[in-house]
């Protein structure tokens, strides 16, 4: 019943920007901390950042100053604005939340070319 659907991934040149979106359903969204993760080829999945129900954000050191997480509780969405993208940002990006068990979206591919 809980669903997370990411969108907005694509191919971009280094220095460019992308905005990812995640739409949640089956939960009381406004009460939930929402997370963004990514998994690069051959790498472990890592936390990119999170946003609390009150809009307080946390970011991995590797993306600080470049990525911004926001949420729209009325639309049950969380966004990841990615600026000044680097090739090392290439990964599948996942939206996630915890409802006792961690739930994941299907992921959206971000590819950054040199």
């Amino acid at each position: 019943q809980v669903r997370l659907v990411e969108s907005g991934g694509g191919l971009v040149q280094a220095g460019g920007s992308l905005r990812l979106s995640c739409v949640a359903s089956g939960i009381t969204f406004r009460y939930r901390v929402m997370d963004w993760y990514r998994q690069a080829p051959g790498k472990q999945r890592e936390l990119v950042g999170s946003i609390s129900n009150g809009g307080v954000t946390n970011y991995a050191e590797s993306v600080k100053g470049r990525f911004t997480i926001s949420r729209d509780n009325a639309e049950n969405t969380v966004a990841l604005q990615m600026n000044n993208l680097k090739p090392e940002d290439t990964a599948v990006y996942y939206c996630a939340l915890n409802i006792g068990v961690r739930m994941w979206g299907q992921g959206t591919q971000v590819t950054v070319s040199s």
Side-chain angles (χ1 to χ4, degrees), residues 17-71:
S17 298
L18 284 173
R19 184 178 177 88
L20 307 184
S21 182
C22 171
V23 180
S25 61
I27 60 168
T28 307
F29 180 82
R30 66 183 181 274
Y31 296 144
R32 304 294 181 177
V33 174
M34 301 297 296
D35 303 321
W36 283 99
Y37 285 77
R38 66 186 182 186
Q39 188 166 22
K43 303 290 186 179
Q44 291 289 108
R45 191 170 297 184
E46 66 174 348
L47 180 66
V48 174
S50 61
I51 185 166
S52 75
N53 57 353
V56 178
T57 54
N58 257 326
Y59 301 98
E61 193 67 30
S62 59
V63 306
K64 282 182 179 177
R66 300 189 298 120
F67 291 11
T68 303
I69 300 171
S70 60
R71 69 191 297 158

Side-chain angles (χ1 to χ4, degrees), residues 41-112:
K43 303 290 186 179
Q44 291 289 108
R45 191 170 297 184
E46 66 174 348
L47 180 66
V48 174
S50 61
I51 185 166
S52 75
N53 57 353
V56 178
T57 54
N58 257 326
Y59 301 98
E61 193 67 30
S62 59
V63 306
K64 282 182 179 177
R66 300 189 298 120
F67 291 11
T68 303
I69 300 171
S70 60
R71 69 191 297 158
D72 185 340
N73 289 338
E75 299 293 332
N76 284 7
T77 61
V78 60
L80 178 64
Q81 178 67 45
M82 304 184 292
N83 299 325
N84 192 24
L85 283 160
K86 304 174 180 180
E88 53 262 43
D89 295 319
T90 295
V92 178
Y93 284 72
Y94 298 90
C95 181
L97 61 80
N98 194 300
I99 54 170
V101 176
R102 184 160 296 281
M103 305 296 294
W104 307 92
Q106 83 289 346
T108 185
Q109 177 70 49
V110 172
T111 303
V112 184

